[in-house]
Amino acid sequence: MLLEGIETLLVLAKEGTMSKAGSYLYISQSAVSKRIARLEKKLGKKLIEPSGRRIKLTADAIALIDNIGPSYKEIKGLIFDQQSFQDHTIITLECSETLVAGYLGEMMGNYIKTDPYISIATHHTPVIVEKVQSGEATIGFCAGHLPPQHGLATRHLFDEHFAVISHQPLQQTPQALLVNDFQNPANANQASLLQKVGIVPLMEMDSYTAAAQLALGGVAPALVPASIVKTLKIDPAFCHHFDFLDELTRPVHLCYRQSSYQSARIRTLIETIVDVVPTKA
């Protein structure tokens, strides 16, 4: 129960609200509140305070997170390493949405017929890495740059290219583009390259699919990866290439805890993904 409360506090500190923390943990907002209340009672300290629609951490909560946060992740990872992945143990595959949509649909449909005990979820790359580090996820399928010193085993599969999607013909490099969230550190290289070539991020979407659909609707050109072009079956007439795109790719990786690869089921899934994903896109 103590570990459960600490986990909830760590998520709440990152998400900022009870509702977002509940969504992350797949529990209700009231359950989040009860977990924090039990932790406060156990420690004899006030940990959170209301701050408008968000919550504010007390000094005691900040100190607790600084002291225990790294150790908590390590403990969860070590517990995960002790699991024996028997025939019915759930293998959790956390994916970037664009990658699972673009490359794994047909493959997973066939694969789950032989191994039905697989759960697939989508998140942004930083969250995927955190979940694999802590053992909440077994394998991560990530798009974009991985955070430094993540401590995981990785397989670099390929570097995915981008296209500029526009409903209108483009005779020259656009001055502004719809882009994906530049607050996501996995996309940092995109922001720096666009700045170098003088392209302004017009709007920052949380979804490449949304950006592509807005571009096809005539709102503005959008920067979209090959996986989305493939998934949405975007007509080549709407896909434009400019010189700056030669420098713009995002690495695609699998990541997992080194011990996980010792499991035959996990190893088979990893190698199947490696075989089905293209070497370039």
Side-chain angles (χ1 to χ4, degrees):
M1 188 175 293
L2 185 60
L3 287 177
E4 182 182 78
I6 291 170
E7 177 187 36
T8 305
L9 179 65
L10 291 172
V11 172
L12 186 56
K14 182 171 65 174
E15 298 296 328
T17 68
M18 294 283 189
S19 60
K20 288 183 178 180
S23 296
Y24 185 97
L25 294 167
Y26 301 104
I27 59 176
S28 67
Q29 183 173 333
S30 63
V32 173
S33 181
K34 288 177 182 178
R35 286 185 180 185
I36 295 298
R38 285 197 295 264
L39 182 61
E40 288 178 328
K41 183 177 180 180
K42 181 74 174 178
L43 299 177
K45 297 177 179 179
K46 188 69 175 173
L47 298 175
I48 63 171
E49 298 172 346
S51 179
R53 295 183 178 181
R54 300 177 65 83
I55 60 93
K56 179 181 178 182
L57 299 178
T58 65
D60 284 331
I62 293 170
L64 180 65
I65 289 170
D66 288 344
N67 290 327
I68 294 181
S71 299
Y72 173 78
K73 286 185 179 179
E74 184 178 356
I75 289 169
K76 287 194 69 176
L78 292 172
I79 292 172
F80 174 84
D81 287 343
Q82 300 305 310
Q83 292 185 64
S84 175
F85 279 83
Q86 305 298 331
D87 290 347
H88 294 178
T89 305
I90 298 295
I91 294 175
T92 303
L93 175 61
E94 291 275 351
C95 306
S96 294
E97 179 185 6
T98 54
L99 298 183
V100 71
Y103 303 117
L104 294 190
E106 183 177 354
M107 168 259 172
M108 288 306 304
N110 292 323
Y111 195 91
I112 285 180
K113 293 174 184 176
T114 60
D115 187 347
Y117 299 101
I118 295 175
S119 175
I120 303 170
T122 58
H123 283 288
H124 295 311
T125 288
V127 176
I128 293 172
V129 171
E130 287 183 8
K131 285 180 171 288
V132 176
Q133 286 174 324
S134 68
E136 292 177 66
T138 317
I139 303 168
F141 189 28
C142 305
H145 291 271
L146 300 177
Q149 300 177 332
H150 50 71
L152 300 173
T154 62
R155 298 278 286 273
H156 176 237
L157 303 185
F158 67 96
D159 292 317
E160 187 176 42
H161 288 276
F162 285 80
V164 172
I165 305 302
S166 175
H167 186 266
Q168 304 298 326
L170 296 176
Q171 304 303 322
Q172 58 186 11
T173 304
Q175 296 181 330
L177 289 171
L178 303 177
V179 298
N180 205 15
D181 180 15
F182 283 170
Q183 298 304 309
N184 181 344
N187 299 331
N189 70 313
Q190 298 177 30
S192 59
L193 179 59
L194 293 187
Q195 183 178 36
K196 185 174 75 172
V197 298
I199 297 175
V200 176
L202 183 61
M203 303 178 196
E204 294 187 29
M205 303 286 106
D206 193 41
S207 162
Y208 280 117
T209 300
Q213 296 288 26
L214 289 173
L216 293 171
V219 173
L223 186 66
V224 174
S227 49
I228 287 297
V229 174
K230 177 178 182 292
T231 301
L232 298 181
K233 299 180 173 62
I234 299 175
D235 192 301
F238 303 132
C239 301
H240 305 271
H241 180 83
F242 300 97
D243 290 343
F244 80 92
L245 292 172
D246 293 334
E247 298 182 51
L248 185 62
T249 60
R250 61 175 189 168
V252 174
H253 291 91
L254 286 172
C255 64
Y256 45 91
R257 295 178 67 85
Q258 188 64 55
S259 61
S260 299
Y261 199 73
Q262 305 307 312
S263 162
R265 286 180 61 219
I266 296 172
R267 185 167 61 250
T268 299
L269 178 54
I270 290 171
E271 296 303 331
T272 303
I273 294 173
V274 170
D275 289 342
V276 77
V277 171
T279 56
K280 61 181 180 178

